[in-house]
Amino acid sequence: MIEKLNIDKTSAWPFIEARKILKERKQFIEKKGKIILQTGYGPSGLPHIGTFGEVARTTMVVNALNHLTDFPKEIITFSDDMDGLRKVPDNVPKKEILNKNLHKPLTSIPDPFEKFDSFGKHNNEMLKKFLNDFNFSYTFKSSTELYKSGFFNSSLKIVLDNYQSIMETILPTLGKERQKTYCPFLPICPETGIVLEIPVIEINKKKSTIIFDNNGKKLETSVLDGKCKLQWKVDWAMRWYALDVDFEMYGKDLIESAILSKKIIKLLGKNDPSGFAYELFLDEKGEKISKSKGNGITIENWLNYASPESLSLFMYQNPKRAKKLYKEIVPKAVDEYLDFIEKGKSQNELQLLMNPAWHVHNGKIPKEKTIMPFSMLLNLVETSNANTKELLWKFVKKYKKNIIDNEYPIFDNLINYAIRYFNDVIKQKKSYKKPNHEEKKALEALVESLESCNDNMQPEDIQTKIYSVGKENGYKENLRDWFKLIYEVVFGDENGPRMGFFISFFGVNETKQLIKEKIK
């Protein structure tokens, strides 16, 4: 365990949240001898990267708690799979199956993928699979199972007992038309199986039944055993109550819902859990990532191009800032991950607690040295024409003869990621600049200057020569434009690697030949 003094000083957000939980929920945690954290998921569409983010961040809070208290911790991943399907997602096959079953509970709708008993079950299994792939420790709970098994019955009776107070809390937040039909309980129609939103005629607390007005026809049903489900905000509060939740994080778009749910759980007789509102994930157009649209980068995409740890690090950073999630951000995220690993080698304990890699690896940052940034590795994939891991390793070892590949597992994985990312993403968008007469002269001067270099020179010495060529060929006032020219002509991009380091690795003669080919 890290020294308590340093933990008290750190401002890393998982420790801030962990301390807040222990302070706000102290007496409740001590009474039950356990800390319960919840993440919620609505399986009306395939699990998306935002769902992963919520579980990853909650896991980071658990890791921080492990350094502060010996109380057992449990993450409950709750699926709201009894919710009625409101619209058909864009990213599923056989949409007609879902169209025929709109407004039915997700676990009552056939699986359009034809793999599981229901659409809800399919999406739950997809969720569990990708959480298991990341080795998260969690307990999965299904809304359908807890309603139908009677687990929620005692809590539902308390909701019914507080019916009037709940109505007085919710109704002022609704429009006039919605107020006329609102009821915290949603009956499941015994004839159609649809989740109904209909007004109440009468409630019977003693029998735990409600009589609804179903288009002029009376519908009497029990609120127990899955005959009804609760409206979202009341359901959230009831779930906190029944599962005795101490902490839950949620997207910024749910802040208003959380405020109402906190009022409702107090009406039920318990204090609200400690909360954390995070900003939303956006696609490249700045639109909210949606499981029904399937926009933004998917979990599968990210893991095809980069490590799980780089994704976890992306989730750790700035959770209260909106973040764009699309394929082009992957290299930057990977390089930041490598950079934080490198920094960890020389940091003291307090600095380590602020290092995102410490939280990604639960205090055990890898010791592997960084051979090169991922962005440079992508350039190397292009310039070496290597399309297999073996070829690229062979190329790397040509210039780094002391490297033993099995001592570099992170870099070994990076090679495969780089080849896939270059071929799938970068190669499709490459646009090489054709230099004009003056630009061509400057690049020819660079080739000539490299004649006096060799592969034994230090990268910084080569970099100095490149600076000098730029200054002597019209770029004295703006060396950034000089390097931009090199990158656009040689790599087909405005940005590129530190050239001194790249040349020392790629080889002086190879670089001269590369530039000559590009300026022809």
Side-chain angles (χ1 to χ4, degrees), residues 24-179:
E24 293 178 352
R25 302 285 299 176
K26 184 176 186 292
Q27 66 185 86
F28 309 108
I29 292 167
E30 288 175 351
K31 186 176 179 181
K32 64 187 174 186
K34 186 177 186 179
I35 303 173
I36 297 174
L37 307 91
Q38 182 176 241
T39 66
Y41 166 65
S44 56
L46 302 176
H48 62 68
I49 210 161
T51 309
F52 162 83
E54 195 165 302
V55 181
R57 287 167 170 169
T58 303
T59 299
M60 290 169 188
V61 174
V62 169
N63 291 339
L65 282 167
N66 286 337
H67 288 268
L68 295 171
T69 178
D70 292 327
F71 280 118
K73 299 96 187 162
E74 178 184 21
I75 294 177
I76 292 174
T77 294
F78 189 93
S79 172
D80 192 13
D81 56 18
M82 202 170 165
D83 198 21
L85 180 66
R86 292 173 179 81
K87 62 179 180 178
V88 177
D90 296 335
N91 56 345
V92 298
K94 301 185 179 178
K95 292 183 174 62
E96 65 278 5
I97 292 175
L98 300 186
N99 266 314
K100 289 177 186 174
N101 290 279
L102 283 172
H103 307 296
K104 289 182 181 179
L106 295 159
T107 44
S108 299
I109 298 172
D111 177 16
F113 295 90
E114 299 180 342
K115 292 180 180 179
F116 297 96
D117 296 340
S118 69
F119 183 48
K121 176 79 169 172
H122 173 275
N123 293 339
N124 286 342
E125 291 304 315
M126 295 303 101
L127 171 68
K128 287 189 275 187
K129 182 184 182 303
F130 86 64
L131 295 183
N132 292 339
D133 287 345
F134 284 91
N135 296 315
F136 287 127
S137 176
Y138 67 96
T139 302
F140 179 82
K141 291 193 183 291
S142 154
S143 177
T144 301
E145 290 174 9
L146 296 188
Y147 268 103
K148 289 187 173 181
S149 69
F151 178 88
F152 282 150
N153 281 356
S154 59
S155 302
L156 291 167
K157 288 179 182 179
I158 295 171
V159 172
L160 194 59
D161 286 342
N162 289 276
Y163 180 89
Q164 194 55 43
S165 298
I166 291 171
M167 289 290 282
E168 289 168 2
T169 301
I170 296 285
L171 288 181
T173 68
L174 305 174
K176 288 185 178 179
E177 287 303 310
R178 187 74 184 91
Q179 288 179 1

